[in-house]
Amino acid sequence: MAEDRRTRRTRRALGGALVELVLERGFSALTVEDITERADVARATFYAHFKGKDDLFARVTTDLLEQLAQRLEPAVSGSAVGFTGKPLLEMLRHVSDERDVYRVVLRGEGDGKPLQMFVDSCAAATAQEFKARAERNSVQPRIDADLLARVWVGEQIAVLRWWAEQDTPPMPAEEAVRMLLDLALHGRYWASGFTAPDRAQF
Protein backbone atom coordinates (compact mmCIF):
# COMPACT_ATOMS: atom_id res chain seq x y z
CA MET A 1 0.00 0.00 0.00
CA ALA A 2 2.80 2.40 0.93
CA GLU A 3 4.57 1.51 -2.33
CA ASP A 4 1.39 2.21 -4.31
CA ARG A 5 1.03 5.62 -2.65
CA ARG A 6 4.68 6.39 -3.32
CA THR A 7 4.28 5.35 -6.97
CA ARG A 8 1.18 7.51 -7.39
CA ARG A 9 2.93 10.50 -5.80
CA THR A 10 5.94 10.08 -8.08
CA ARG A 11 3.83 9.79 -11.21
CA ARG A 12 1.69 12.78 -10.20
CA ALA A 13 4.82 14.85 -9.59
CA LEU A 14 6.28 13.90 -12.95
CA GLY A 15 3.01 14.50 -14.76
CA GLY A 16 2.56 17.86 -13.09
CA ALA A 17 6.10 18.87 -13.99
CA LEU A 18 5.53 17.86 -17.60
CA VAL A 19 2.37 19.96 -17.89
CA GLU A 20 3.99 23.00 -16.29
CA LEU A 21 7.03 22.81 -18.55
CA VAL A 22 5.04 22.24 -21.73
CA LEU A 23 3.04 25.39 -21.00
CA GLU A 24 6.28 27.30 -20.40
CA ARG A 25 8.48 25.97 -23.19
CA GLY A 26 6.58 23.60 -25.46
CA PHE A 27 6.96 19.82 -25.49
CA SER A 28 9.65 19.53 -28.15
CA ALA A 29 12.09 21.67 -26.14
CA LEU A 30 11.86 19.50 -23.01
CA THR A 31 14.28 16.85 -21.85
CA VAL A 32 13.79 14.15 -19.25
CA GLU A 33 16.30 16.01 -17.09
CA ASP A 34 14.12 19.13 -17.20
CA ILE A 35 11.13 17.11 -16.01
CA THR A 36 12.93 15.26 -13.22
CA GLU A 37 14.53 18.46 -11.96
CA ARG A 38 11.17 20.24 -11.81
CA ALA A 39 9.54 17.25 -10.12
CA ASP A 40 12.51 16.71 -7.76
CA VAL A 41 12.67 13.08 -8.82
CA ALA A 42 15.82 11.10 -9.62
CA ARG A 43 16.43 10.31 -13.29
CA ALA A 44 16.65 6.60 -12.48
CA THR A 45 13.27 6.80 -10.79
CA PHE A 46 11.78 8.39 -13.90
CA TYR A 47 12.98 5.50 -16.06
CA ALA A 48 11.63 3.00 -13.54
CA HIS A 49 8.17 4.30 -14.48
CA PHE A 50 8.41 5.64 -18.03
CA LYS A 51 10.38 4.97 -21.19
CA GLY A 52 10.71 8.65 -21.97
CA LYS A 53 8.84 11.94 -22.08
CA ASP A 54 6.43 10.69 -24.77
CA ASP A 55 5.47 7.76 -22.54
CA LEU A 56 4.88 10.16 -19.64
CA PHE A 57 2.71 12.42 -21.81
CA ALA A 58 0.69 9.39 -22.90
CA ARG A 59 0.14 8.51 -19.23
CA VAL A 60 -0.99 12.05 -18.45
CA THR A 61 -3.48 11.84 -21.32
CA THR A 62 -4.73 8.41 -20.23
CA ASP A 63 -5.25 9.68 -16.69
CA LEU A 64 -7.21 12.66 -18.05
CA LEU A 65 -9.43 10.36 -20.12
CA GLU A 66 -10.04 8.07 -17.15
CA GLN A 67 -11.01 11.02 -14.95
CA LEU A 68 -13.33 12.32 -17.66
CA ALA A 69 -14.98 8.91 -18.09
CA GLN A 70 -15.65 8.74 -14.35
CA ARG A 71 -17.18 12.21 -14.40
CA LEU A 72 -19.35 11.43 -17.43
CA GLU A 73 -20.62 8.00 -16.40
CA PRO A 74 -23.46 9.22 -14.12
CA ALA A 75 -24.49 11.90 -16.64
CA VAL A 76 -24.62 9.44 -19.55
CA SER A 77 -26.23 6.53 -17.71
CA GLY A 78 -28.96 8.75 -16.30
CA SER A 79 -30.71 9.20 -19.65
CA ALA A 80 -32.13 6.52 -21.94
CA VAL A 81 -32.64 8.90 -24.85
CA GLY A 82 -29.79 11.34 -24.35
CA PHE A 83 -29.46 14.95 -25.49
CA THR A 84 -29.87 16.27 -21.97
CA GLY A 85 -26.74 18.41 -22.14
CA LYS A 86 -25.53 16.94 -18.84
CA PRO A 87 -22.45 15.16 -20.28
CA LEU A 88 -21.28 18.32 -22.03
CA LEU A 89 -21.83 20.39 -18.89
CA GLU A 90 -19.72 17.89 -16.96
CA MET A 91 -17.01 18.09 -19.63
CA LEU A 92 -16.85 21.87 -19.36
CA ARG A 93 -16.62 21.61 -15.59
CA HIS A 94 -13.82 19.07 -15.94
CA VAL A 95 -11.95 21.44 -18.26
CA SER A 96 -12.27 24.15 -15.63
CA ASP A 97 -10.87 21.78 -12.99
CA GLU A 98 -8.00 20.49 -15.17
CA ARG A 99 -7.43 23.49 -17.45
CA ASP A 100 -3.65 23.17 -17.80
CA VAL A 101 -3.75 19.49 -18.74
CA TYR A 102 -6.46 20.13 -21.31
CA ARG A 103 -4.43 23.00 -22.74
CA VAL A 104 -1.34 20.89 -23.43
CA VAL A 105 -3.36 17.99 -24.85
CA LEU A 106 -5.80 19.97 -27.00
CA ARG A 107 -3.09 22.25 -28.41
CA GLY A 108 -1.60 19.21 -30.09
CA GLU A 109 1.70 19.22 -28.17
CA GLY A 110 3.83 16.09 -28.55
CA ASP A 111 3.40 15.89 -32.35
CA GLY A 112 -0.35 15.67 -31.85
CA LYS A 113 -0.21 12.12 -30.47
CA PRO A 114 -1.92 12.86 -27.12
CA LEU A 115 -4.60 14.85 -28.95
CA GLN A 116 -5.17 11.95 -31.35
CA MET A 117 -5.39 9.59 -28.39
CA PHE A 118 -7.95 11.87 -26.76
CA VAL A 119 -10.04 12.20 -29.94
CA ASP A 120 -9.95 8.48 -30.74
CA SER A 121 -10.92 7.48 -27.21
CA CYS A 122 -13.80 9.97 -27.05
CA ALA A 123 -15.02 9.01 -30.53
CA ALA A 124 -14.99 5.28 -29.71
CA ALA A 125 -16.91 5.81 -26.46
CA THR A 126 -19.38 8.15 -28.16
CA ALA A 127 -20.03 5.76 -31.05
CA GLN A 128 -20.63 2.94 -28.59
CA GLU A 129 -23.12 5.08 -26.67
CA PHE A 130 -24.91 6.17 -29.85
CA LYS A 131 -25.29 2.54 -30.95
CA ALA A 132 -26.48 1.43 -27.51
CA ARG A 133 -28.95 4.33 -27.33
CA ALA A 134 -30.39 3.46 -30.75
CA GLU A 135 -30.81 -0.16 -29.68
CA ARG A 136 -32.43 0.78 -26.35
CA ASN A 137 -34.94 2.98 -28.13
CA SER A 138 -35.49 0.69 -31.13
CA VAL A 139 -34.51 3.36 -33.66
CA GLN A 140 -32.38 3.16 -36.79
CA PRO A 141 -29.71 5.87 -37.05
CA ARG A 142 -29.90 7.84 -40.30
CA ILE A 143 -26.13 8.47 -40.25
CA ASP A 144 -23.40 5.92 -39.59
CA ALA A 145 -22.75 5.93 -35.84
CA ASP A 146 -18.96 6.06 -36.18
CA LEU A 147 -19.14 9.04 -38.56
CA LEU A 148 -21.71 10.76 -36.36
CA ALA A 149 -19.48 10.22 -33.31
CA ARG A 150 -16.49 11.78 -35.10
CA VAL A 151 -18.55 14.84 -36.05
CA TRP A 152 -19.94 15.16 -32.53
CA VAL A 153 -16.54 14.78 -30.86
CA GLY A 154 -14.87 17.13 -33.35
CA GLU A 155 -17.30 19.89 -32.41
CA GLN A 156 -16.81 19.18 -28.72
CA ILE A 157 -13.01 19.27 -29.03
CA ALA A 158 -13.22 22.71 -30.65
CA VAL A 159 -15.45 23.97 -27.85
CA LEU A 160 -13.32 22.39 -25.12
CA ARG A 161 -10.12 23.93 -26.47
CA TRP A 162 -11.79 27.35 -26.72
CA TRP A 163 -12.99 26.90 -23.14
CA ALA A 164 -9.60 25.73 -21.86
CA GLU A 165 -7.70 28.63 -23.39
CA GLN A 166 -9.79 31.24 -21.57
CA ASP A 167 -8.59 32.20 -18.10
CA THR A 168 -12.17 33.28 -17.44
CA PRO A 169 -14.97 31.21 -19.04
CA PRO A 170 -16.37 33.10 -22.06
CA MET A 171 -19.91 32.54 -20.80
CA PRO A 172 -21.65 30.50 -18.09
CA ALA A 173 -21.27 26.78 -18.79
CA GLU A 174 -25.03 26.31 -18.52
CA GLU A 175 -25.62 28.91 -21.24
CA ALA A 176 -23.09 27.30 -23.57
CA VAL A 177 -24.68 23.89 -23.02
CA ARG A 178 -28.17 25.26 -23.69
CA MET A 179 -27.05 26.69 -27.04
CA LEU A 180 -25.19 23.54 -28.02
CA LEU A 181 -28.18 21.44 -27.06
CA ASP A 182 -30.35 23.59 -29.35
CA LEU A 183 -27.76 23.08 -32.09
CA ALA A 184 -27.85 19.32 -31.58
CA LEU A 185 -31.64 19.21 -31.68
CA HIS A 186 -32.30 21.68 -34.50
CA GLY A 187 -29.15 21.75 -36.63
CA ARG A 188 -26.71 24.33 -37.97
CA TYR A 189 -29.10 25.82 -40.53
CA TRP A 190 -31.65 26.61 -37.83
CA ALA A 191 -28.90 27.91 -35.52
CA SER A 192 -27.80 30.36 -38.23
CA GLY A 193 -31.26 31.92 -38.23
CA PHE A 194 -32.75 30.24 -41.30
CA THR A 195 -35.77 28.01 -41.75
CA ALA A 196 -34.56 24.59 -42.79
CA PRO A 197 -35.35 23.67 -46.44
CA ASP A 198 -37.21 20.45 -47.22
CA ARG A 199 -34.02 18.90 -48.57
CA ALA A 200 -30.46 20.09 -49.00
CA GLN A 201 -29.38 20.71 -52.61
CA PHE A 202 -25.96 19.56 -53.79
Side-chain angles (χ1 to χ4, degrees):
M1 184 71 72
E3 181 64 28
D4 288 343
R5 284 198 296 268
R6 199 156 42 241
T7 296
R8 286 195 296 270
R9 278 199 305 271
T10 299
R11 290 181 174 177
R12 277 199 302 270
L14 290 168
L18 173 79
V19 170
E20 288 177 7
L21 289 166
V22 170
L23 289 173
E24 291 174 14
R25 309 178 195 174
F27 183 77
S28 61
L30 296 186
T31 64
V32 168
E33 288 74 14
D34 293 329
I35 297 167
T36 54
E37 182 178 342
R38 177 65 63 91
D40 194 22
V41 170
R43 194 166 182 272
T45 303
F46 178 96
Y47 285 110
H49 296 281
F50 302 104
K51 297 175 183 176
K53 65 177 187 175
D54 292 278
D55 191 28
L56 172 59
F57 202 172
R59 181 72 254 176
V60 168
T61 307
T62 298
D63 288 346
L64 184 70
L65 284 163
E66 289 175 354
Q67 293 168 16
L68 179 60
Q70 291 173 3
R71 297 273 294 255
L72 290 181
E73 200 280 330
V76 173
S77 63
S79 171
V81 177
F83 298 101
T84 63
K86 292 178 181 179
L88 182 54
L89 181 59
E90 200 56 48
M91 290 180 81
L92 293 177
R93 288 171 174 167
H94 193 232
V95 172
S96 295
D97 291 344
E98 301 292 339
R99 178 171 281 110
D100 287 347
V101 185
Y102 273 97
R103 280 174 171 167
V104 299
V105 171
L106 299 183
R107 285 176 184 177
E109 293 280 1
D111 293 329
K113 292 176 184 177
L115 174 58
Q116 192 62 55
M117 182 191 308
F118 189 88
V119 171
D120 289 345
S121 178
C122 290
T126 300
Q128 183 178 0
E129 176 58 27
F130 283 172
K131 292 171 185 177
R133 184 184 298 162
E135 186 175 344
R136 286 195 302 268
N137 291 279
S138 301
V139 298
Q140 183 62 44
R142 296 183 179 90
I143 297 176
D144 178 81
D146 293 305
L147 174 60
L148 181 59
R150 288 281 170 176
V151 172
W152 183 260
V153 169
E155 291 178 347
Q156 288 184 340
I157 294 296
V159 172
L160 293 181
R161 180 175 179 184
W162 173 59
W163 204 263
E165 293 295 347
Q166 313 297 318
D167 290 326
T168 301
M171 64 183 70
E174 292 79 6
E175 182 180 345
V177 169
R178 178 188 59 75
M179 289 190 284
L180 291 169
L181 185 58
D182 282 341
L183 174 62
L185 293 173
H186 302 293
R188 295 182 185 87
Y189 201 79
W190 171 89
S192 298
F194 297 96
T195 301
D198 292 334
R199 185 175 180 82
Q201 300 298 316
F202 294 95

